[in-house]
């Protein structure tokens, strides 16, 4: 592996630590009974499954971005006594996660199983038992199917959950994967592969590099020189405008329907994908540069979320950025964005909201 690619892959894996605990067997994360926000939600039972919860707490400033009346509260406590750790968010509001227990010193340990809370559901249910839990460092969900790692295999389950779990070929256990309208993953040797679903024959695209982001129909691939935008339908690629001359030392990345986000020189930078026009950079990112924190980006239709999570302790912070207005909102826990959805943790619940157009 050449030096630039080695550095990029290291950055990608480090950025995964925020919402992808367990990407290295020696790293453990924790989630206590109460989130960093300072405790559980106010009293008052959640509403019926599929209905929003009136009065759900919204951090100051976030109410300008979301539909406050439509916030869904998802319980973190699971029937087996563990707690949900969200690892993937779909554009339809589906949440995928692992289960975690915390020992008295505050160190978290994953249990086996992939858990799912469907759109509008306020409790997660066991989707599939996975056996050894140490490899659950990332999950993805979309129309193409549910994806999660199992050792050096990439496991795939169709959205209905009725078909057998399958393994996608070529995956090495250390590279990124995505699910949307199609499935996209980086296979051995930096090969880019895609499939319409778990049971469909995969296609090998004529591009090699490090897969760092995906927003249908474009995958974003790093190699020496500019970042490439690859159309997964045709295999055609073009250089991305608005990035530093060499993107090899830029991390992390993510992309949404009209936005590309990355961190460069300790500032969050967002580019309009249609015009290449950069928005105002955002500095003072939470925990940026701290050796014991992993960072990640997630990009929705309107917002960008930067999150930092301690690799061992139950400490995490996030920053929600609205490029359109230049406003930022700090959150005292981990958060994810996808499409027009925003998920963030508050104590014993995750809150799921729809972002305003």
């Amino acid at each position: 592996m050449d030096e630039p690619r080695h550095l990029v892959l290291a950055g990608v894996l480090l950025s995964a630590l925020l919402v992808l605990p367990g990407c290295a067997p020696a790293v453990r994360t924790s989630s206590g009974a109460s989130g960093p926000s300072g405790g559980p939600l106010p009293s008052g039972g959640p509403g019926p499954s599929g209905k929003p919860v009136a009065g759900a707490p919204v951090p100051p400033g976030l109410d300008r971005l979301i539909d406050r009346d439509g916030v869904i509260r998802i319980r973190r406590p699971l029937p087996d006594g563990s707690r949900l750790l969200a690892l993937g968010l779909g554009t339809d509001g589906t949440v995928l996660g692992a289960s975690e227990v915390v020992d008295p010193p505050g160190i978290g340990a994953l249990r086996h199983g992939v858990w799912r809370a469907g759109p509008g559901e306020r409790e997660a249910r066991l989707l599939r038992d996975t056996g050894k839990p140490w490899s659950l460092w990332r999950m993805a969900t979309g129309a193409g199917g549910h994806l999660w790692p199992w050792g050096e295999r990439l496991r795939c389950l169709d959205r209905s959950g009725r078909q057998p779990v399958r393994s996608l070929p070529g995956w090495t256990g250390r590279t990124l994967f995505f699910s949307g309208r199609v499935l996209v993953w980086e296979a051995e040797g930096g090969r880019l592969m895609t499939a319409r679903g778990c049971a469909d024959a995969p296609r090998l695209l004529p591009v090699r590099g490090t897969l760092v982001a995906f927003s249908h129909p474009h995958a974003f691939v790093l190699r020496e020189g500019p970042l490439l935008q690859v159309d997964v339908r045709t295999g055609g690629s073009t250089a991305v405008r608005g990035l530093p001359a060499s993107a090899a030392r830029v991390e992390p990345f993510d992309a949404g329907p009209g936005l590309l986000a990355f961190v460069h020189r300790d500032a969050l930078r967002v580019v309009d994908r249609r015009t290449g026009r950069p928005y105002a950079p955002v500095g003072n990112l939470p925990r940026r540069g701290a050796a014991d924190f992993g960072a990640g980006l997630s990009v929705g239709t309107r917002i960008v979320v930067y999150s930092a999570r301690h690799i061992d302790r139950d400490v995490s912070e996030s920053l929600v950025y609205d490029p359109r207005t230049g406003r930022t909102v700090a959150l005292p826990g981990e958060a994810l964005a996808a499409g027009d959805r925003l998920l963030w943790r508050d104590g014993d619940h995750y809150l799921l909201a729809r972002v305003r157009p």
Side-chain angles (χ1 to χ4, degrees), residues 77-91:
L78 299 172
D80 63 358
S82 62
R83 293 184 178 275
L84 177 67
L85 180 64
L87 297 177
L89 175 65
T91 57

Side-chain angles (χ1 to χ4, degrees), residues 39-134:
L41 298 175
S43 60
S49 177
K51 294 185 178 181
V53 177
V58 175
L62 199 59
D63 53 353
R64 298 179 178 180
L65 291 173
I66 66 170
D67 175 12
R68 181 167 183 158
D69 293 334
V71 174
I72 300 295
R73 187 162 46 183
I74 303 170
R75 287 171 43 84
R76 292 188 63 224
L78 299 172
D80 63 358
S82 62
R83 293 184 178 275
L84 177 67
L85 180 64
L87 297 177
L89 175 65
T91 57
D92 66 346
T94 296
V95 178
L96 284 189
S99 63
E100 186 178 48
V101 293
V102 181
D103 62 20
I107 303 299
L110 293 180
R111 287 186 174 178
H112 57 82
V114 176
W115 295 76
R116 174 184 182 270
E121 295 179 345
R122 59 182 176 86
E123 293 184 350
R125 296 173 174 81
L126 184 63
L127 182 66
R128 279 296 186 276
D129 195 332
T130 57
K132 294 180 181 180
W134 54 265

Side-chain angles (χ1 to χ4, degrees), residues 153-350:
R153 297 181 182 179
L154 182 56
R155 305 291 273 169
C156 186
L157 178 66
D158 71 293
R159 287 295 298 273
S160 71
R162 300 188 184 96
Q163 300 298 320
V165 176
R166 301 174 183 268
S167 292
L168 300 182
W171 194 67
T172 64
R174 298 179 298 277
T175 55
L176 296 183
F177 54 86
F178 301 90
S179 177
R181 297 184 190 178
V182 298
L183 309 173
V184 181
W185 67 100
E186 180 188 336
E188 185 177 8
R191 298 174 300 157
L192 190 63
M193 302 192 75
T194 182
R196 291 180 299 175
C198 302
D200 292 309
R203 292 193 303 124
L204 182 63
L205 299 178
V207 176
R208 286 180 181 264
T210 300
L211 175 65
V212 295
F214 174 66
S215 179
H216 188 84
H218 296 115
F220 295 84
V221 176
L222 272 178
R223 55 185 189 177
E224 290 190 50
L227 179 72
L228 291 183
Q229 176 178 284
V230 182
D231 190 322
V232 298
R233 299 166 301 184
T234 65
S237 62
T238 57
V240 176
R241 296 177 292 168
L243 272 72
S246 176
R249 297 181 185 273
V250 176
E251 59 83 22
F253 281 94
D254 200 34
L259 302 172
L260 175 68
F262 58 96
V263 175
H264 184 238
R265 295 179 179 175
D266 294 334
L268 172 60
R269 300 176 184 272
V270 180
V271 175
D272 187 312
R273 290 179 50 195
R274 294 170 290 253
T275 65
R277 180 177 68 89
Y279 292 92
V282 177
N284 298 319
L285 301 177
R287 308 285 183 168
R288 184 62 185 171
D292 50 356
F293 277 79
L297 286 177
S298 53
V299 179
T301 304
R302 176 176 175 177
I303 62 173
V304 177
V305 175
Y306 175 92
S307 288
R309 181 183 175 113
H310 196 282
I311 61 176
D312 192 50
R313 296 168 48 233
D314 184 27
V315 178
S316 55
E317 298 179 41
S318 300
L319 187 74
V320 177
Y321 174 47
D322 177 17
R324 185 187 308 171
T325 64
R327 295 193 182 101
T328 60
V329 179
L331 299 176
E334 67 266 20
L336 290 168
D340 65 351
R341 308 299 175 109
L342 172 65
L343 179 78
W344 74 97
R345 180 161 69 95
D346 191 313
D348 285 346
H349 295 77
Y350 282 103

